[in-house]
Amino acid sequence: VSESTRAQPGADSAPTIEDVRSAAALLSAVAVPTPVLTSAALDRRTGAAVAIKCENLQRTGSFKFRGAYTALARLGASERERGVIAFSSGNHALAVATAARDHDTTALIVMPADAPAGKLASIADLGARVVTFDRYTDDRFALTARLAAEHGLITIPPFDHPGVIAGAGTTTLEFLEQTGGLDTLVMPLGGGGHLAGAGVVKAAESRATRLVGVETAAGDKTRQSLRAGRRVRIPVPRTIADGVTGEIPGELTFAVNRRLLDDVVVVDDLEILAAMAWLFQETKLVVEPTGALGVAALLAGRVEVSGQRVGVVVSGGNIEPRRFHALTQSVPIRGQDQVVPVDTPT
Amino acid sequence: VSESTRAQPGADSAPTIEDVRSAAALLSAVAVPTPVLTSAALDRRTGAAVAIKCENLQRTGSFKFRGAYTALARLGASERERGVIAFSSGNHALAVATAARDHDTTALIVMPADAPAGKLASIADLGARVVTFDRYTDDRFALTARLAAEHGLITIPPFDHPGVIAGAGTTTLEFLEQTGGLDTLVMPLGGGGHLAGAGVVKAAESRATRLVGVETAAGDKTRQSLRAGRRVRIPVPRTIADGVTGEIPGELTFAVNRRLLDDVVVVDDLEILAAMAWLFQETKLVVEPTGALGVAALLAGRVEVSGQRVGVVVSGGNIEPRRFHALTQSVPIRGQDQVVPVDTPT
């Protein structure tokens, strides 16, 4: 019996590597083993060998499906039958609604009223019910708890849950297998579930891999919390990265991340937009603001990676064409304003 | 000795399956084994199990790298040293410039003066020289021939060349391996090299696969040629699909395609734009107009595929964000104008 299986984890304990492995086995039938791309241009910019893990090509358009599906699968049959409830800025909502449909149960989704219309429409298409809240005034936790109690629903939290973290960890398990090993792994950092999952995998399988989380400059709750040595609550950050607008790291996720996360760096909104435009142009990938945090940090030179094998996760691509354009239209694009030496035939 | 190897093919003969296989071996070290994606939404729309082959994620942003690299690799050392010349609306140019750099030789690229600025800039970044022509008045064939003679350069044609066709055939070889077999394979159809390569693979390995080429309604040169039983020259088509504006099918490619291409369907520019917007929203892929022809045909119901295993090739993604937006901004996007049932908490 290995050390990690000796103690049976309870519902409030961090998952073990075995939990991540069993999530990977479960997901192998339903999730996309997302492709890993490389970019000569990114390698030149960073002086590293960079592998890009495309979780924007995951089912539901983000890595969130991994955690939501795993959490629903781990429910008992009678719990699952009652239906589930989730609050989310969008991607977790899509993931829970899809996982609920996969499991033949119902989902009630609590969403910010200003979530992109396309996300609301997709949720409704999946057969879920939607309740909206004001992201700057309502207490979404209290609202979700009240609705859960009233309707007897099981809450599937977006990150602070062992099943969700175990599912999220499968991204890293898969990425390490696909690349054969990484010196540094750079990922967007929101509530901390994706990185906590990465930490569990790192601790068991790849101790030497440096884990770097990327936050927005306006929403560096985990950076502040790590410095303070405890979970720090920040004001709701105003940023274009609508997937990482939480005020405080998760309890479970922070417990893992304070042990296993090696560094947190930040990028500002303009750097995120530049990364989105760069990803569009150079890699042909549609990436939403939050999904581009890792690449933004690499392009801005915020992580020391020269000479290394680097992995960066693109975590989601749920953005409508019009919003993508509205956000990125003022980013300078190579070629548009560049003078190219051209010969005219004479 | 198999039938296909008995006759040694000359420079003007269609490639054999062995040529495609040796191209695949050559490319395994330098090209991307491009991912294959699925989309539940596309499966629902078509009633088929559709696999999407992402050649927009190929090196240089399109499948053209496969053929250009193969053609350059097959040159003798002394030929290659002289340098190469190519005319192209963009993707073949990027491919030849990149393959020339890979082979430590020089490239002269003859491009339409109205090619996207980003493509011109990328060519220059690769160290190639650029000469421009007017796509509606100049004879690009004569211009290329003159420049080749003057500078002693080897011409790498965009499609009508056995090495280019052999390289292009590797897309299909790879796609059949990745999917385990296809009932119908749908691909954009320009000069005919990609489909001729597919035909060579089909004839040797997958006789029952139906090959369908997709042209623009304004530029259906192969459809007309197949009906006439000979190569038909059409006026330069005016279409947003800037990769398929040729006037006549290739000689070699048509010789293969008249035997092995099962059907040609057409789509109009609005159907192409709808497919580009759909691919952005549903698959998170940036696809240029020509690259979206196959998906456009499926979305428009132009190919009978119900109940089948269908492959569709997305052949390129070289389009700038601003042009993408300018083209697709009037396409209705799901969610933008849709009324979503939402409960407000009380």
Side-chain angles (χ1 to χ4, degrees), chain A residues 8-15 74 157 160-163 165 251-253 255-256:
Chain A
Q8 271 307 314
D12 295 333
S13 306
R74 286 160 55 132
D160 216 17
H161 179 281
I165 296 171
E251 226 175 300
L252 259 184
T253 57
V256 176

mmCIF file of all heavy atoms in Angstrom, chain A residues 8-15 74 157 160-163 165 251-253 255-256:
data_model
loop_
_atom_site.group_PDB
_atom_site.id
_atom_site.type_symbol
_atom_site.label_atom_id
_atom_site.label_comp_id
_atom_site.label_asym_id
_atom_site.label_seq_id
_atom_site.Cartn_x
_atom_site.Cartn_y
_atom_site.Cartn_z
ATOM 1 N N GLN A 8 -7.677 6.932 3.742
ATOM 2 C CA GLN A 8 -8.815 7.119 2.844
ATOM 3 C C GLN A 8 -9.209 8.588 2.843
ATOM 4 O O GLN A 8 -9.554 9.148 3.876
ATOM 5 C CB GLN A 8 -10.005 6.274 3.298
ATOM 6 C CG GLN A 8 -10.024 4.872 2.723
ATOM 7 C CD GLN A 8 -9.919 4.853 1.194
ATOM 8 O OE1 GLN A 8 -10.602 5.606 0.509
ATOM 9 N NE2 GLN A 8 -9.041 4.030 0.654
ATOM 10 N N PRO A 9 -9.155 9.223 1.681
ATOM 11 C CA PRO A 9 -9.522 10.638 1.674
ATOM 12 C C PRO A 9 -11.019 10.816 1.848
ATOM 13 O O PRO A 9 -11.813 10.074 1.275
ATOM 14 C CB PRO A 9 -9.078 11.094 0.287
ATOM 15 C CG PRO A 9 -9.073 9.861 -0.562
ATOM 16 C CD PRO A 9 -8.808 8.708 0.356
ATOM 17 N N GLY A 10 -11.422 11.771 2.622
ATOM 18 C CA GLY A 10 -12.829 12.097 2.774
ATOM 19 C C GLY A 10 -13.244 13.104 1.722
ATOM 20 O O GLY A 10 -12.461 13.467 0.852
ATOM 21 N N ALA A 11 -14.458 13.548 1.797
ATOM 22 C CA ALA A 11 -14.986 14.474 0.796
ATOM 23 C C ALA A 11 -14.243 15.807 0.826
ATOM 24 O O ALA A 11 -14.220 16.528 -0.154
ATOM 25 C CB ALA A 11 -16.467 14.698 1.029
ATOM 26 N N ASP A 12 -13.631 16.128 1.964
ATOM 27 C CA ASP A 12 -12.972 17.418 2.083
ATOM 28 C C ASP A 12 -11.455 17.326 1.951
ATOM 29 O O ASP A 12 -10.746 18.296 2.189
ATOM 30 C CB ASP A 12 -13.315 18.072 3.424
ATOM 31 C CG ASP A 12 -14.796 18.397 3.486
ATOM 32 O OD1 ASP A 12 -15.387 18.601 2.407
ATOM 33 O OD2 ASP A 12 -15.338 18.427 4.595
ATOM 34 N N SER A 13 -10.943 16.139 1.598
ATOM 35 C CA SER A 13 -9.498 15.981 1.473
ATOM 36 C C SER A 13 -9.091 16.163 0.031
ATOM 37 O O SER A 13 -9.857 15.904 -0.891
ATOM 38 C CB SER A 13 -9.075 14.580 1.921
ATOM 39 O OG SER A 13 -9.552 14.334 3.217
ATOM 40 N N ALA A 14 -7.833 16.583 -0.134
ATOM 41 C CA ALA A 14 -7.285 16.691 -1.487
ATOM 42 C C ALA A 14 -7.245 15.299 -2.106
ATOM 43 O O ALA A 14 -7.075 14.303 -1.402
ATOM 44 C CB ALA A 14 -5.884 17.275 -1.416
ATOM 45 N N PRO A 15 -7.417 15.221 -3.408
ATOM 46 C CA PRO A 15 -7.377 13.915 -4.055
ATOM 47 C C PRO A 15 -5.957 13.366 -4.078
ATOM 48 O O PRO A 15 -4.986 14.104 -3.947
ATOM 49 C CB PRO A 15 -7.860 14.212 -5.472
ATOM 50 C CG PRO A 15 -7.545 15.650 -5.692
ATOM 51 C CD PRO A 15 -7.664 16.311 -4.357
ATOM 52 N N ARG A 74 -18.789 10.386 -9.562
ATOM 53 C CA ARG A 74 -18.510 9.880 -8.218
ATOM 54 C C ARG A 74 -19.711 9.972 -7.279
ATOM 55 O O ARG A 74 -19.640 9.489 -6.145
ATOM 56 C CB ARG A 74 -17.305 10.630 -7.627
ATOM 57 C CG ARG A 74 -15.980 10.177 -8.279
ATOM 58 C CD ARG A 74 -14.859 11.173 -8.093
ATOM 59 N NE ARG A 74 -14.610 11.505 -6.714
ATOM 60 C CZ ARG A 74 -13.408 11.520 -6.134
ATOM 61 N NH1 ARG A 74 -12.335 11.176 -6.832
ATOM 62 N NH2 ARG A 74 -13.266 11.869 -4.890
ATOM 63 N N PRO A 157 -19.164 22.174 -7.072
ATOM 64 C CA PRO A 157 -18.403 23.428 -7.036
ATOM 65 C C PRO A 157 -17.434 23.506 -8.209
ATOM 66 O O PRO A 157 -17.013 22.473 -8.738
ATOM 67 C CB PRO A 157 -17.631 23.348 -5.716
ATOM 68 C CG PRO A 157 -18.045 22.087 -5.044
ATOM 69 C CD PRO A 157 -18.731 21.229 -6.036
ATOM 70 N N ASP A 160 -13.319 23.801 -5.743
ATOM 71 C CA ASP A 160 -12.929 23.397 -4.390
ATOM 72 C C ASP A 160 -13.595 22.091 -3.989
ATOM 73 O O ASP A 160 -14.402 22.046 -3.049
ATOM 74 C CB ASP A 160 -13.278 24.512 -3.408
ATOM 75 C CG ASP A 160 -12.237 24.620 -2.296
ATOM 76 O OD1 ASP A 160 -11.140 24.067 -2.477
ATOM 77 O OD2 ASP A 160 -12.532 25.267 -1.277
ATOM 78 N N HIS A 161 -13.227 21.027 -4.644
ATOM 79 C CA HIS A 161 -13.919 19.744 -4.504
ATOM 80 C C HIS A 161 -12.954 18.658 -4.987
ATOM 81 O O HIS A 161 -12.352 18.796 -6.049
ATOM 82 C CB HIS A 161 -15.172 19.798 -5.395
ATOM 83 C CG HIS A 161 -15.990 18.547 -5.396
ATOM 84 N ND1 HIS A 161 -15.656 17.431 -6.140
ATOM 85 C CD2 HIS A 161 -17.159 18.238 -4.776
ATOM 86 C CE1 HIS A 161 -16.570 16.495 -5.970
ATOM 87 N NE2 HIS A 161 -17.485 16.951 -5.148
ATOM 88 N N PRO A 162 -12.808 17.586 -4.185
ATOM 89 C CA PRO A 162 -11.784 16.591 -4.538
ATOM 90 C C PRO A 162 -12.013 15.923 -5.895
ATOM 91 O O PRO A 162 -11.048 15.642 -6.615
ATOM 92 C CB PRO A 162 -11.868 15.569 -3.395
ATOM 93 C CG PRO A 162 -13.096 15.892 -2.627
ATOM 94 C CD PRO A 162 -13.471 17.304 -2.904
ATOM 95 N N GLY A 163 -13.268 15.691 -6.260
ATOM 96 C CA GLY A 163 -13.543 15.070 -7.557
ATOM 97 C C GLY A 163 -13.197 16.004 -8.708
ATOM 98 O O GLY A 163 -12.647 15.593 -9.735
ATOM 99 N N ILE A 165 -11.018 18.441 -8.598
ATOM 100 C CA ILE A 165 -9.557 18.567 -8.661
ATOM 101 C C ILE A 165 -8.944 17.316 -9.308
ATOM 102 O O ILE A 165 -8.043 17.421 -10.150
ATOM 103 C CB ILE A 165 -8.966 18.797 -7.255
ATOM 104 C CG1 ILE A 165 -9.453 20.140 -6.686
ATOM 105 C CG2 ILE A 165 -7.430 18.756 -7.286
ATOM 106 C CD1 ILE A 165 -9.102 20.368 -5.220
ATOM 107 N N GLU A 251 -10.359 26.488 -0.443
ATOM 108 C CA GLU A 251 -9.721 25.974 0.765
ATOM 109 C C GLU A 251 -8.848 24.768 0.435
ATOM 110 O O GLU A 251 -7.659 24.721 0.759
ATOM 111 C CB GLU A 251 -10.819 25.553 1.749
ATOM 112 C CG GLU A 251 -10.584 26.027 3.157
ATOM 113 C CD GLU A 251 -11.768 25.671 4.046
ATOM 114 O OE1 GLU A 251 -12.890 26.138 3.744
ATOM 115 O OE2 GLU A 251 -11.572 24.921 5.012
ATOM 116 N N LEU A 252 -9.482 23.784 -0.216
ATOM 117 C CA LEU A 252 -8.764 22.577 -0.619
ATOM 118 C C LEU A 252 -7.655 22.911 -1.610
ATOM 119 O O LEU A 252 -6.530 22.421 -1.499
ATOM 120 C CB LEU A 252 -9.733 21.621 -1.324
ATOM 121 C CG LEU A 252 -10.295 20.444 -0.577
ATOM 122 C CD1 LEU A 252 -11.146 19.620 -1.530
ATOM 123 C CD2 LEU A 252 -9.158 19.591 -0.020
ATOM 124 N N THR A 253 -7.997 23.720 -2.612
ATOM 125 C CA THR A 253 -7.010 24.018 -3.660
ATOM 126 C C THR A 253 -5.824 24.776 -3.077
ATOM 127 O O THR A 253 -4.677 24.499 -3.422
ATOM 128 C CB THR A 253 -7.639 24.837 -4.810
ATOM 129 O OG1 THR A 253 -8.202 26.041 -4.289
ATOM 130 C CG2 THR A 253 -8.705 24.039 -5.538
ATOM 131 N N ALA A 255 -4.732 24.615 -0.034
ATOM 132 C CA ALA A 255 -3.939 23.687 0.797
ATOM 133 C C ALA A 255 -2.943 22.916 -0.071
ATOM 134 O O ALA A 255 -1.805 22.670 0.335
ATOM 135 C CB ALA A 255 -4.869 22.728 1.535
ATOM 136 N N VAL A 256 -3.364 22.542 -1.255
ATOM 137 C CA VAL A 256 -2.447 21.845 -2.171
ATOM 138 C C VAL A 256 -1.453 22.834 -2.776
ATOM 139 O O VAL A 256 -0.243 22.585 -2.808
ATOM 140 C CB VAL A 256 -3.234 21.139 -3.307
ATOM 141 C CG1 VAL A 256 -2.273 20.498 -4.313
ATOM 142 C CG2 VAL A 256 -4.194 20.097 -2.732
#
